[in-house]
Amino acid sequence: MTNNTYDLVVIGAGPGGEVGVIRAAQLGLKVALVEKNEHLGGTCLNVGCIPTKALLESAKIWEKINHVEDFGFALENPSYSWDKIMSRKEDIVNAQRKGLKFLMKKNKVDVYHGHGRFVSSDNLEVTSPDGSKTSISAKHFLVATGSRVKEIPFAKSNGKTIMTSDDILFIDKVPKSLCVVGGGVVGMEFASLFARFGTSVTVVEMAEQMLPSEDEEVVKELCRLFRKQKIILKTNSKLSKVESKAHSCLVTIEGEDPQEFDLLLSSIGRAPVSDELGLDNVGIFPDKFGFIGVDNHYRTPVKNVFAIGDVIKTPALAHTASAEAIHAVEIIAGQHPHVIDYQTNPGAIYTSPEIASMGMNEQTLRKNGVEYSVAKFPFAPMAKAKIEGSTDGFVKIIFEPKYREILGVHIIGAKATEMISEFVLGKVLETTVDEIGHAIHPHPTISETVMEAAHAAIGGAIHL
Amino acid sequence: MSHSTEVLMPLMGEGVNEATVIRWLKAPGEKVEKDEPLIEVSTDKVDTEIPAPASGYLIACFAEEGSAIEVYQTIAQISEDPKAQVITPSNKADREKPSNAGNAVPSSGGEALQVSSVGMLDRKAKRQSSDRSGGAYGASLQSPLPASFAGAVRTSPLVRKMAKEHGLDLRMVPGSGLHGRITRSDVEEYLQTGGQRIPRDYAMPNQVQEFDPTGPLFTVKTKNEDGKEFLDGVEVRREKMSKIRWLTAEHMLRSVRTSPHVTTTFEMDLHKIDAHRDANKAQFEKEGVRLTFTAYFIQAAIHAIKKFPEVNASIDGGDVLFKEAINIGCAVATKTGLIVPVIKNANDFSLKECAVGLSDIAMRARESKLNPSDIKGGTFSITNPGMYGSIHSQPIINQPQVAIMSIGAIIKRPVVVNQDVTIRPLCQIGLTFDHRIIDGEGGAMFLAEIRNFLESYPA
């Protein structure tokens, strides 16, 4: 049993922990990273953002190929190889894993493969896959253990007819029919992915709105476009029974007849990973959902232990975890970073069309009785949208009427996830819609829609 | 006699020279509360209500409904006494503008911020959002300031809009945002507390970091185990600045950032002043007035300012604001810190009036009995480190003024007069001035005028 002492030990090598250790090394801290899985990168790189977006990119191209005659091409019997699509996804993931390993080496981060468990507030015991134990001491700890998929109690993943997002990323062929349970971001992205490869998809959501945290108008538009793609959407619907057969499963929705699907995707959300960490040994007690409580510098009640990312109650997004990790590490290094304003934290959904958002949505503002104005501009009249064949969608800016401060931005349409960054910077700098409208946007681009929406806010859009 | 307040037509934005009275919301004789809407006015930019600057009775309205009234004109009189005598409305347009210049300052956004004489602007602005030329776009295009001014205070478009509405000098608002940026919540907090708050962590509103080449050295490292702090390897004890210290620090930093300072110094022979003072000291004393050298310097300054009005001015973007009043600020060291109380309207002051004015403010400053108005409205400043033995100094200009005169120690020295060596009380008097408005020649000529005045003082 060896003994090692560090300034900081980070538990979990996802987009939070990995960014945290690099920042710590940059600031001159002696730092170690503990990861229980074989590969670095966490959910995001291994079974989350990166592989899903890789598959969705193939779906986007397949979708274009199916409309290729609009652009003047004629392809006879176009086809795809699911194996190649999957191996491209794996290549991308592997390349990123390699990159991460290099970054750890470059920044002289000691990586411990194994399960970390607090013995005391300055000591962690790491159990490696072969069962050997290592004791690590540190002045500070950063818990970045992330989250795991939640399962439906009566329909747990069997890797064949019932899957979670962890399994479906390795599926060997496109299912003919798919029942997605849970219309959140994960469910809607997989619905959009498989629908484009010809699967008949049904999405079942308990809440009254798909993507419950997104703006109602944007979701309404997405649902309209999903239905055009023959995706069946059922809100206010609850699963009552799932019967798994050899090559399919029989799904019963409350008040409906049982229906047979090749595959059921369980995407009812994710839960924080805070058990099995020995947190009670240091006096940290997560809430009933498993979230660790922190202050706005991500300090837990135990002053040398910090927590960030999916394991705390802030939005469960990779970029959010990274930003939180940088903040926490800078605090540990004695710096005075600026507190993160979650109103400037963007969200990105890679459905077809894409959705991106920042700040408050309309239904929340209405519920809270906040006075607001809305400016909207559709993609349809824009030349570049027509050129790219992406005329669906709009940019919606919600602003406060007195100073025209930006309260929320909701974009649905092509390149939405890239265009939101303009608003993030704007909001960080407390820009009002006036300046967004005043900024010249290049022509012809899709981003002109942003400028036009701002024009609409300050007196009149030009091209409508 | 009860106190009367004149209500002036406020300045409602740059380029707005007049406003039309829509209607009076109060009639003469009616009681009004402070901040209660008094009158509705309309300008090219906004329709707005002007709130009462004080509580009392509305004694008289001097502006008819439908008439266009120039900015800073007296429009009403409010008094605590319902039977107060109606004043003769003065045209304050000329008098008020310069004395308000302290509040008409270049903001970081390149827009001049204006404070009305009633001190606030309640803009329930019916901003016509369709009016693109006058609203969102117009202001920045008309900016009279060079872009180099923009970096002085870190703000945001939102904050600048709020500042404009509330007539706020953003340089006074401490910024809590990234690199000291002033955020919406900083402005809200400032407005709520009336600016009384000392900023959290004493962050300088104009953080020097980005300009200061020595910046990285100033990282205070905290040792976590025993709480000891080190600066550049040297153990330090941390103490919060007093409010006056902080305000002084902020003001000085702002001044050196704003004005290119130039100092020029003359040696002056004070034997005539010395003789006059010796001859008259006793008589002044009898009348209860202490006759100091400083009284003569004030008198000399008043004399010279009349010949060189640019020394008694302020800069507003591309404009120079020449001040009608000569209000002399005199730097006084008090137990708590530096204060510059002002002798007001000294244009026609005799030596005795200068002496009386000086002893009044100096005494009240040392006894902490100054009113807020005593330290406002200075148009020129005098500092006298000579009383501590300094022979020459290069002070920092008291913004928004453009010049400050510094007095060195009066020391008897042998000098050559008409081929003979004789002993004379000599004094080095300097003028530190803002080179944006005063050139070396102007500064020297001003001091030559001072020297001429002091060296040829009648017996």
Side-chain angles (χ1 to χ4, degrees):
Chain A
M1 195 161 157
T2 51
N3 205 322
N4 304 285
T5 304
Y6 295 93
D7 293 321
L8 170 67
V9 167
V10 177
I11 311 163
E18 160 253 312
V19 167
V21 288
I22 293 173
R23 185 74 188 119
Q26 286 173 346
L27 294 173
L29 300 182
K30 193 185 176 207
V31 61
L33 181 61
V34 177
E35 172 56 55
K36 67 178 176 186
N37 290 321
E38 185 190 348
H39 299 292
L40 302 181
T43 300
C44 169
L45 175 54
N46 297 293
V47 285
C49 323
I50 306 305
T52 38
K53 271 37 125 188
L55 295 181
L56 282 157
E57 193 61 29
S58 292
K60 199 194 265 180
I61 293 173
W62 183 239
E63 189 183 7
K64 273 261 190 253
I65 288 171
N66 285 319
H67 292 96
V68 84
E69 67 275 13
D70 299 347
F71 293 82
F73 301 96
L75 288 183
E76 266 176 57
N77 301 320
S79 65
Y80 62 84
S81 155
W82 185 250
D83 288 349
K84 281 189 180 156
I85 289 171
M86 292 300 259
S87 65
R88 176 177 186 269
K89 173 210 76 175
E90 276 308 298
D91 291 347
I92 291 166
V93 170
N94 281 326
Q96 292 304 102
R97 285 170 179 159
K98 237 173 104 180
L100 269 185
K101 263 187 168 168
F102 163 75
L103 284 173
M104 294 305 116
K105 222 165 114 184
K106 180 190 154 196
N107 287 286
K108 301 190 173 58
V109 176
D110 288 347
V111 179
Y112 292 84
H113 276 289
H115 180 92
R117 187 181 164 83
F118 281 101
V119 176
S120 66
S121 63
D122 56 7
N123 193 269
L124 194 80
E125 184 187 78
V126 180
T127 309
S128 65
D130 64 14
S132 66
K133 289 184 193 305
T134 311
S135 169
I136 310 177
S137 295
K139 288 183 198 158
H140 301 278
F141 288 93
L142 178 62
V143 181
T145 46
S147 59
R148 59 168 76 95
V149 291
K150 274 197 254 181
E151 297 233 43
I152 305 165
F154 55 88
K156 290 197 172 159
S157 163
N158 56 21
K160 281 184 179 157
T161 57
I162 302 174
M163 291 186 177
T164 65
S165 56
D166 290 354
D167 320 306
I168 203 168
L169 283 166
F170 304 96
I171 193 168
D172 54 8
K173 63 173 195 291
V174 174
K176 282 204 175 61
S177 60
L178 171 69
C179 178
V180 175
V181 180
V185 175
V186 173
M188 292 299 261
E189 284 188 351
F190 279 110
S192 179
L193 169 70
F194 287 108
R196 278 179 280 173
F197 281 111
T199 306
S200 72
V201 179
T202 300
V203 186
V204 183
E205 168 61 45
M206 259 167 62
E208 59 181 6
Q209 178 183 307
M210 294 290 172
L211 299 171
S213 59
E214 291 299 316
D215 185 81
E216 57 191 10
E217 207 173 350
V218 159
V219 175
K220 213 172 133 189
E221 178 70 359
L222 181 75
C223 290
R224 183 182 75 81
L225 296 164
F226 264 29
R227 288 195 182 98
K228 259 174 83 177
Q229 298 171 52
K230 306 274 187 293
I231 298 172
I232 296 165
L233 300 169
K234 292 174 185 283
T235 49
N236 294 314
S237 297
K238 210 174 155 188
L239 211 63
S240 63
K241 200 176 158 199
V242 178
E243 205 179 316
S244 186
K245 297 178 172 179
H247 300 290
S248 68
C249 56
L250 206 58
V251 177
T252 314
I253 296 164
E254 255 174 32
E256 290 186 23
D257 291 334
Q259 208 182 331
E260 197 165 346
F261 292 94
D262 279 5
L263 180 66
L264 181 146
L265 171 66
S266 162
S267 54
I268 58 166
R270 302 182 66 87
V273 178
S274 58
D275 50 351
E276 298 170 0
L277 277 171
L279 286 173
D280 45 348
N281 292 340
V282 290
I284 295 171
F285 301 98
D287 70 8
K288 62 174 175 171
F289 303 104
F291 290 112
I292 298 173
V294 290
D295 64 11
N296 59 4
H297 296 307
Y298 311 101
R299 208 187 281 271
T300 68
V302 178
K303 75 172 190 182
N304 68 321
V305 180
F306 292 69
I308 56 95
D310 288 8
V311 81
I312 64 169
K313 234 173 173 168
T314 53
L317 298 164
H319 48 259
T320 313
S322 301
E324 290 168 348
I326 288 173
H327 185 101
V329 167
E330 288 179 350
I331 290 282
I332 289 167
Q335 297 197 337
H336 304 281
H338 203 59
V339 172
I340 293 174
D341 174 8
Y342 287 92
Q343 287 302 308
T344 66
N345 186 41
I349 306 174
Y350 296 79
T351 45
S352 171
E354 291 183 350
I355 290 175
S357 60
M358 177 198 72
M360 306 283 260
N361 60 41
E362 201 173 343
Q363 65 267 32
T364 311
L365 288 165
R366 198 169 53 228
K367 210 171 82 190
N368 295 338
V370 179
E371 202 188 333
Y372 65 89
S373 301
V374 174
K376 231 175 84 180
F377 197 87
F379 282 24
M382 305 312 281
K384 191 66 193 303
K386 289 186 188 118
I387 290 166
E388 295 194 4
S390 312
T391 49
D392 290 324
F394 55 80
V395 174
K396 172 178 178 174
I397 307 174
I398 307 177
F399 59 100
E400 166 274 333
K402 192 174 179 187
Y403 305 113
R404 296 193 284 282
E405 179 185 11
I406 297 164
L407 299 175
V409 178
H410 305 277
I411 308 175
I412 177 168
K415 301 195 167 64
T417 55
E418 301 287 344
M419 292 198 296
I420 195 70
S421 297
E422 174 175 0
F423 288 100
V424 175
L425 177 63
K427 178 90 178 154
V428 166
L429 297 176
E430 285 192 337
T431 297
T432 69
V433 283
D434 299 7
E435 289 77 32
I436 302 269
H438 192 58
I440 303 170
H441 287 61
H443 176 77
T445 56
I446 303 256
S447 73
E448 286 175 284
T449 325
V450 166
M451 178 176 67
E452 284 284 28
H455 281 163
I458 52 183
I462 306 293
H463 295 102
L464 196 68
Chain B
M1 200 189 124
S2 69
H3 184 70
S4 261
T5 305
E6 282 184 64
V7 185
L8 306 183
M9 179 64 79
L11 185 57
M12 273 161 286
E14 44 175 328
V16 179
N17 300 318
E18 57 175 29
T20 305
V21 177
I22 301 173
R23 64 193 175 100
W24 283 95
L25 303 169
K26 295 280 172 184
E30 254 187 285
K31 204 169 177 341
V32 294
E33 292 296 326
K34 186 170 186 283
D35 296 341
E36 205 181 347
L38 197 62
I39 180 172
E40 252 183 63
V41 299
S42 157
T43 72
D44 294 344
K45 287 188 178 175
V46 289
D47 292 347
T48 188
E49 291 169 357
I50 299 172
S55 297
Y57 293 89
L58 183 60
I59 302 300
C61 303
F62 302 119
E64 277 176 37
E65 294 188 351
S67 63
I69 306 294
E70 228 186 300
V71 165
Y72 296 123
Q73 285 261 35
T74 306
I75 53 174
Q77 180 191 357
I78 293 172
S79 176
E80 292 152 20
D81 179 3
K83 294 186 192 74
Q85 208 186 344
V86 175
I87 54 159
T88 314
S90 54
N91 179 357
K92 292 213 171 185
D94 297 323
R95 189 154 59 83
E96 279 298 313
K97 269 180 210 161
S99 67
N100 258 324
N103 296 323
V105 296
S107 81
S108 64
E111 297 165 27
L113 295 179
Q114 319 281 2
V115 176
S116 75
S117 297
V118 288
M120 69 196 78
L121 286 177
D122 187 15
R123 274 201 200 172
K124 287 178 190 123
K126 287 183 216 150
R127 264 186 199 271
Q128 288 122 5
S129 54
S130 57
D131 176 14
R132 290 172 39 173
S133 59
Y137 295 165
S140 55
L141 286 177
Q142 290 156 9
S143 163
L145 285 176
S148 58
F149 280 72
V153 182
R154 285 185 170 233
T155 64
S156 70
L158 174 65
V159 160
R160 290 195 289 275
K161 281 181 188 168
M162 294 175 79
K164 205 166 177 189
E165 181 190 340
H166 294 282
L168 203 61
D169 180 351
L170 281 175
R171 296 172 310 183
M172 297 313 293
V173 181
S176 70
L178 210 55
H179 302 302
R181 185 184 296 281
I182 301 166
T183 65
R184 178 185 189 127
S185 57
D186 293 331
V187 173
E188 283 168 351
E189 198 170 335
Y190 187 86
L191 290 171
Q192 264 170 28
T193 58
Q196 290 309 301
R197 178 181 65 111
I198 298 243
R200 287 178 295 270
D201 303 332
Y202 288 70
M204 264 321 146
N206 303 331
Q207 277 286 3
V208 283
Q209 284 167 359
E210 67 267 42
F211 300 107
D212 187 354
T214 60
L217 284 178
F218 287 84
T219 322
V220 179
K221 290 263 189 237
T222 306
K223 230 185 186 178
N224 284 319
E225 297 85 59
D226 50 11
K228 278 184 185 164
E229 280 190 286
F230 294 87
L231 175 61
D232 208 15
V234 178
E235 189 178 340
V236 292
R237 177 174 58 85
R238 184 182 289 275
E239 196 178 281
K240 278 212 185 299
M241 283 186 188
S242 67
K243 181 169 183 179
I244 190 167
R245 184 74 262 154
W246 187 86
L247 288 170
T248 305
E250 193 279 333
H251 184 91
M252 295 306 157
L253 183 60
R254 169 152 51 97
S255 184
V256 291
R257 284 251 187 102
T258 305
S259 301
H261 284 62
V262 178
T263 300
T264 184
T265 304
F266 275 43
E267 191 166 59
M268 305 191 190
D269 176 351
L270 299 185
H271 78 280
K272 286 197 173 166
I273 300 295
D274 202 22
H276 186 275
R277 182 166 167 269
D278 281 347
N280 291 280
K281 213 160 60 176
Q283 181 57 33
F284 271 67
E285 203 81 42
K286 259 186 218 164
E287 293 167 31
V289 186
R290 212 175 137 234
L291 181 59
T292 60
F293 280 101
T294 309
Y296 293 92
F297 300 139
I298 292 170
Q299 203 190 7
I302 294 165
H303 167 82
I305 282 169
K306 285 177 183 167
K307 297 211 167 177
F308 300 95
E310 69 269 26
V311 172
N312 199 56
S314 279
I315 295 174
D316 181 23
D319 299 337
V320 178
L321 309 174
F322 293 98
K323 298 167 192 177
E324 300 293 332
I326 300 175
N327 298 338
I328 308 286
C330 297
V332 178
T334 69
K335 270 173 279 172
T336 47
L338 173 69
I339 270 187
V340 189
V342 179
I343 302 169
K344 297 234 169 107
N345 298 311
N347 301 43
D348 300 315
F349 270 20
S350 64
L351 177 65
K352 192 173 161 191
E353 286 170 305
C354 290
V356 170
L358 178 66
S359 65
D360 170 52
I361 54 164
M363 202 190 318
R364 286 195 292 127
R366 295 206 172 96
E367 291 172 359
S368 306
K369 282 182 181 159
L370 290 172
N371 300 316
S373 63
D374 287 329
I375 54 168
K376 277 189 185 153
T379 62
F380 181 81
S381 294
I382 298 178
T383 178
N384 187 2
M387 61 196 284
Y388 305 109
S390 162
I391 55 165
H392 168 78
S393 65
Q394 292 179 288
I396 287 171
I397 295 165
N398 187 10
Q399 299 290 333
Q401 298 164 27
V402 293
I404 179 166
M405 190 163 85
S406 58
I407 314 294
I410 301 163
I411 300 172
K412 285 193 174 142
R413 288 188 200 279
V415 290
V416 178
V417 178
N418 299 329
Q419 304 304 318
D420 290 323
V421 174
T422 179
I423 293 171
R424 287 284 167 85
L426 297 184
C427 175
Q428 293 198 15
I429 295 183
L431 185 76
T432 296
F433 54 89
D434 188 329
H435 208 332
R436 288 180 300 172
I437 173 170
I438 302 162
D439 295 331
E441 183 204 21
M445 282 172 71
F446 180 87
L447 281 185
E449 193 62 39
I450 296 272
R451 183 175 64 182
N452 186 41
F453 182 87
L454 294 172
E455 292 188 351
S456 59
Y457 205 80

